[in-house]
Amino acid sequence: MNTFLTQLVNGLSLGSIYALIALGYTMVYGIVKLINFAHGDVMMIGAYTGYFILRAMGTTPWGLACAFLGAMIVCSLLSLLIERCAYRPLRNAPRLNSLITAIAVELILQNGMRVLPFVGPNPRQFPTMDTHIYNLGIISVSNIQLIVIISSALLMVLLNYVINYTRTGKAMRAVSYDLGASSLMGINVNRTIAITFVIGSILAGAGGVLYATAYPQIEPTMGYIPGLKAFVAAVLGGIGSVPGAMLGGVILGIAETMTKAYISSQYADAISYLILIVILLVKPAGLLGKKKVVKV
């Protein structure tokens, strides 16, 4: 029982990070029907931003807060550049063009970081604070796990408030429902889409710092696997559904850690993709997704 609860906490910690990254996928897809495969590498940029800030300021609570803020700002500016230069010109093009462009942006970010003289291709140790274990009754939780879970939960609650209770969120929901009609009703579609990219990238930047804090090694290709699993989480919950992305991330994180604990760590990645295959066969719209009828 002790092992199960420990792995449950580990799963919640990992799943919270997957959920943060998955939210970026599902928000962008919900509005422009684009699978932004560069999203995982935006997370990587956030991790490197946090790395340089923590190296300069130290692993204090203030330094960690500045690392979060710096990663969010850098990732939001990067997302604006990517959306304006790479995706917006192809908005009315066939979706395959946008998909290929997203893969190209992913490769540019990875290899661009590899050739930068102050980054390079070699892995680096991410600065982390000392680990402290807290015994909470029958379970033990580290301070790093608490930071990951609490920070992720706060960001998700804030996102839910923005989407459901602000004018910007109302515009995002309107554009997601019908982009053309939203434009006719006076909504600035380009600005709304750009804001969606920014919000998703802010969450990815925070997710990058949290992921590097929990697994303290960074490299230019570190965003590929977490980004791919976050995409699986988004599809699992229902691509385009914000609550679905949160639920899918938590389920995927728990499934992965339980597989490592009770079966074998070698099957942890396989179980993630097996879940994706099963959900696509049984419920293609995802756990919280809705079926859509498309006229042809």
Side-chain angles (χ1 to χ4, degrees):
M1 187 63 180
N2 229 5
T3 302
F4 174 81
L5 292 175
T6 300
Q7 295 304 323
L8 184 62
V9 172
N10 292 337
L12 285 173
S13 176
L14 180 60
S16 298
I17 298 172
Y18 286 158
L20 279 182
I21 306 171
L23 285 168
Y25 279 108
T26 204
M27 288 173 64
V28 170
Y29 181 84
I31 287 187
V32 292
K33 300 299 181 287
L34 166 69
I35 303 297
N36 183 19
F37 281 115
H39 193 63
D41 295 284
V42 174
M43 182 208 85
M44 175 267 295
I45 300 293
Y48 269 99
T49 303
Y51 167 82
F52 288 115
I53 292 175
L54 288 172
R55 283 287 302 271
M57 301 187 65
T59 55
T60 61
W62 173 245
L64 187 60
C66 290
F68 272 110
L69 183 61
M72 291 176 179
I73 292 173
V74 169
C75 288
S76 62
L77 294 176
L78 177 63
S79 71
L80 281 175
L81 179 64
I82 293 173
E83 192 275 333
R84 183 66 183 85
C85 298
Y87 297 147
R88 188 179 297 184
L90 298 173
R91 191 171 297 160
N92 297 319
R95 291 185 188 176
L96 182 60
N97 295 18
S98 299
L99 180 63
I100 294 173
T101 302
I103 295 173
V105 172
E106 176 186 29
L107 294 174
I108 289 170
L109 291 177
Q110 288 182 8
N111 292 284
M113 292 295 282
R114 287 169 63 90
V115 300
L116 285 178
F118 57 89
V119 178
N122 298 322
R124 299 192 182 202
Q125 187 73 18
F126 191 83
T128 57
M129 60 183 65
D130 295 333
T131 303
H132 301 285
I133 305 297
Y134 303 102
N135 293 315
L136 305 176
I138 57 176
I139 61 172
S140 298
V141 183
S142 71
N143 56 333
I144 292 176
Q145 288 175 326
L146 286 175
I147 290 172
V148 169
I149 294 172
I150 293 173
S151 300
S152 300
L154 288 175
L155 287 169
M156 290 179 200
V157 169
L158 181 60
L159 174 65
N160 184 68
Y161 174 80
V162 169
I163 291 176
N164 293 304
Y165 300 103
T166 66
R167 188 172 181 177
T168 299
K170 186 181 293 186
M172 290 166 60
R173 285 184 282 129
V175 173
S176 175
Y177 186 77
D178 193 320
L179 189 147
S182 300
S183 178
L184 293 174
M185 294 299 293
I187 295 175
N188 190 326
V189 172
N190 286 332
R191 185 176 65 183
T192 302
I193 292 174
I195 290 173
T196 303
F197 272 88
V198 166
I199 293 175
S201 296
I202 285 174
L203 297 176
V209 174
L210 291 175
Y211 188 85
T213 300
Y215 305 94
Q217 181 171 289
I218 59 173
E219 57 182 327
T221 59
M222 64 170 286
Y224 177 73
I225 294 300
L228 193 58
K229 290 183 178 178
F231 172 66
V232 172
V235 175
L236 172 62
I239 191 77
S241 168
V242 171
M246 299 178 189
L247 178 63
V250 172
I251 291 175
L252 196 65
I254 293 175
E256 189 173 318
T257 54
M258 291 299 177
T259 302
K260 290 178 181 178
Y262 293 104
I263 303 177
S264 171
S265 59
Q266 296 179 347
Y267 296 110
D269 290 339
I271 200 71
S272 301
Y273 306 124
L274 179 62
I275 291 174
L276 175 63
I277 293 171
V278 170
I279 200 67
L280 288 176
L281 290 173
V282 177
K283 200 173 188 300
L287 296 177
L288 300 183
K290 297 178 180 179
K291 292 183 180 180
K292 293 184 178 180
V293 178
V294 180
K295 295 181 179 180
V296 295

